């Protein structure tokens, strides 16, 4: 069911010309723009983002209109000098930097524990196309579940 989008939810959608309608989905409403873009603000945390994204992808597929492209963006920071404030980076690798276990000897990623994957690589052709279209640099993107609030933590992640 499509309804008018409340003003507080359409901040990003206002960047697109034309009307924006809200499509109610379990978990989070989807904003549908007149230009054909769907925008979903899932909320905070990787589990919520994954669940809301999966819901939107499933709903589109069940409606007979699966997506051709999905862009996932979140709140991010960068490491100076490679990605200063305001820079745009397209991931050529995505590393889940805090997926693992803290041990007496330090952090062990899941790969060293014998299961899981911490680094995922998008198709090179998609990375090149997106970075060229956006005028963005490419690089490894780290994803974490906790804000990096100190220089020491940022150095450890780097």
């Amino acid at each position: 069911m499509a309804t008018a989008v409340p003003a507080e939810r359409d901040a990003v959608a206002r960047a697109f010309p034309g009307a924006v309608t809200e499509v109610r989905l379990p978990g989070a409403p989807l904003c549908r723009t007149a230009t054909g873009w769907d925008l979903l603000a899932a909320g905070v945390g990787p589990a919520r983002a994954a669940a809301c994204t999966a819901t939107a992808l499933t709903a589109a597929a069940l409606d007979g209109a699966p997506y051709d492209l999905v862009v996932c963006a979140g709140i991010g920071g960068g490491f100076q000098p490679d990605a200063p404030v305001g820079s745009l980076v397209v991931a050529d690798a995505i590393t889940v930097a805090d997926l693992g276990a803290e041990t007496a000897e330090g952090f062990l990623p899941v790969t060293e524990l014998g299961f899981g994957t911490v680094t995922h690589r998008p198709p090179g052709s998609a990375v090149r196309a997106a970075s060229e279209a956006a005028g963005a640099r490419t690089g490894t993107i780290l994803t974490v579940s906790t804000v990096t609030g100190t220089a020491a933590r940022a150095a450890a992640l780097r």
Side-chain angles (χ1 to χ4, degrees), residues 83-140:
V85 173
S87 61
L88 182 61
V89 179
V90 173
D92 58 14
I94 303 161
T95 298
V96 185
D98 58 359
L99 184 60
E102 290 290 342
T103 70
E105 293 78 36
F107 180 78
L108 290 176
V110 292
T111 51
E112 290 185 34
L113 296 171
F115 59 95
T117 301
V118 295
T119 298
H120 306 272
R121 299 190 186 284
S125 59
V127 171
R128 282 187 298 281
S131 64
E132 288 171 8
R137 66 188 72 212
T138 61
T140 299

Side-chain angles (χ1 to χ4, degrees), residues 61-82:
L62 291 174
D63 284 346
Y67 292 101
D68 294 322
L69 174 68
V70 175
V71 175
C72 179
I75 297 170
F79 292 110
Q80 298 283 356
D82 301 319

